[in-house]
Amino acid sequence: MKVLMVITSHDTLGNTGRKTGFWLEELAAPYYVFKDSGAEITLASPKGGRPPLDPKSNEPEFRTDLTLRFEKDTAAEAQLDKTLRLDSVRQEDFDTVFYPGGHGPMWDLAEDKHSIDLIESFLAAGKPFAVVCHSTGALRHVKTPDGKVLVEGKEVTGFTDGEEENVGLTKIVPFLVEDEMLRLGAVFSKKANWEPHVVTDGLLTTGQNPHSSGPAAKVLLSKLAERRKAPAHAK
């Protein structure tokens, strides 16, 4: 099985003067769900090369066994050093795509034409995919093959207004994930702040927050397993 993971290249937290990027748990937890299942993982980002880590995600309170495992994993770190440029990857080469979050995607992946085209090509090919936390924002311009807004009428989750308020960035981010999904006509599902929560609707799986990233990857794997068992005409 071949899994593509798309990571943000954006490192500036609005006008705060602080750094942002991807959230380490949201890369590490799904990475090992995929790796431990025997999948081949490819990492990509809009600019290629080493994507920026949100420094906050590596503070002691946010470290987990899996973030520590990732940091000691020389092969994983070598991959992270050399992410492919997003414009060089093709849906045809992968079974699925997974988008970790962090605040960075709100600025780049949400507006990136190559990202939008990539997700739309997975949709058109009938391949399941997943986004978590702030990367739900990367769906805002995505359309279905018949030209409708992807999330309209779909049940989704992502970083909630309450969680954004909790981290004090409501006025800093370019938009609020929950508000944007509701504006686009999605059915937004959420649990209490920081509770793991995963929603799946059709080909799309979404996770609410960092703690939902590993569980979202497991749901995605089970969807891929179902797809492989289905008769060819049903795919």
Side-chain angles (χ1 to χ4, degrees), residues 5 7 22-32 43 70 80 100:
M5 298 184 78
I7 306 165
F22 71 91
W23 196 262
L24 186 53
E25 182 183 359
E26 295 179 42
L27 174 62
Y31 183 91
Y32 288 114
L43 305 181
F70 193 95
L80 192 60

Side-chain angles (χ1 to χ4, degrees), residues 221-232 234-235:
L221 274 187
S222 67
K223 286 178 83 80
L224 285 161
E226 280 167 30
R227 188 171 184 268
R228 290 189 161 201
K229 284 183 203 153
K235 287 183 185 176

Side-chain angles (χ1 to χ4, degrees), residues 46-185:
K47 293 180 181 174
R50 180 96 183 180
L53 172 70
D54 185 321
K56 198 164 183 61
S57 72
N58 205 15
E59 289 177 358
E61 64 187 295
F62 298 117
R63 288 185 187 136
T64 68
D65 289 347
L66 292 175
T67 67
L68 295 170
R69 179 180 169 189
F70 193 95
E71 291 192 310
K72 291 175 189 156
D73 185 335
T74 51
E77 283 288 340
Q79 265 193 292
L80 192 60
D81 260 342
K82 296 183 175 147
T83 67
L84 301 178
R85 276 178 59 106
L86 194 51
D87 60 8
S88 74
V89 297
R90 295 161 66 250
Q91 165 270 124
E92 292 83 355
D93 297 331
F94 301 97
D95 296 297
T96 189
V97 63
F98 187 101
Y99 277 62
H103 279 88
M106 303 280 285
W107 280 272
D108 64 353
L109 294 173
E111 307 301 327
D112 188 287
K113 185 181 183 308
H114 300 296
S115 175
I116 295 160
D117 289 349
L118 183 71
I119 295 171
E120 289 179 348
S121 68
F122 273 91
L123 273 172
K127 294 177 179 178
F129 62 100
V131 299
V132 293
C133 202
H134 287 93
S135 276
T136 297
L139 303 175
R140 70 190 302 211
H141 299 303
V142 174
K143 303 266 177 71
T144 63
D146 57 3
K148 290 183 184 151
V149 174
L150 167 64
V151 299
E152 188 179 344
K154 273 204 181 300
E155 188 178 359
V156 302
T157 189
F159 207 61
T160 66
D161 289 359
E163 287 166 329
E164 203 67 83
E165 196 173 319
N166 211 224
V167 297
L169 295 173
T170 300
K171 300 282 192 286
I172 305 300
V173 289
F175 60 92
L176 295 168
V177 173
E178 179 179 340
D179 288 2
E180 181 68 357
M181 291 300 110
L182 291 170
R183 183 186 75 78
L184 292 168

